[in-house]
Amino acid sequence: KTDEEKARDRAEWFEKDMPEMLGKIEEALKETSVNPSYAFGTSATYADVAIWALLRDCTADDIDDTTKAAEKCHMLNAIADQIASNPGVSKWLSERPESMF
C-alpha cells in the first residue's frame, strides 16, 4: 500500500471502525457488568485487563486516536481506569523491560 492508502485506512479505523467496535462492546457490558468498574462480577478479570490494554497500553502513536475513539464509552473507560489504578499494574508498568510491544 502507498503511504496515502495507509493513512486513509488508519483514519477509517480510528474514526469509524474502532468507535463502532467499542460501542458494541460497551453495549454488551451493560448486560454482563454488575459493577461499572468491571466487565463481569465485582473484581478484575482478564477481560478487564484486555480492555485496559486496548485503551491505555497502546503505542504512543495510537494513544490519542484510541482515546478519541473511546470517548463515548464510559464503562470501558471506567474499567480501563480501574485496572490502571491497580498497584500491581502500576508496578509492572514501571518495571517492565522496554520493547516495541
Side-chain angles (χ1 to χ4, degrees), residues 8-24:
R8 183 193 66 234
D9 291 348
R10 185 179 194 288
E12 182 177 346
W13 166 249
F14 283 109
E15 295 170 12
K16 180 183 177 290
D17 298 337
M18 188 178 197
E20 283 181 19
M21 178 197 69
L22 294 175
K24 289 176 183 178

Side-chain angles (χ1 to χ4, degrees), residues 17-96:
D17 298 337
M18 188 178 197
E20 283 181 19
M21 178 197 69
L22 294 175
K24 289 176 183 178
I25 296 170
E26 180 93 355
E27 285 301 311
L29 287 174
K30 292 176 182 175
E31 301 292 322
T32 64
S33 179
V34 296
N35 179 319
S37 295
Y38 301 108
F40 303 96
T42 57
S43 61
T45 65
Y46 183 74
D48 301 309
V49 175
I51 290 166
W52 165 80
L54 176 67
L55 299 183
R56 302 290 190 272
D57 197 37
C58 51
T59 66
D61 291 341
D62 293 343
I63 191 68
D64 290 339
D65 291 323
T66 299
T67 300
K68 185 174 179 187
E71 67 187 357
K72 294 180 181 174
C73 299
H74 304 292
M75 290 180 74
L76 287 172
N77 281 303
I79 291 167
D81 291 343
Q82 176 68 19
I83 296 300
S85 71
N86 180 292
V89 172
S90 298
K91 182 177 187 279
W92 176 74
L93 286 172
S94 69
E95 295 176 356
R96 72 177 173 182

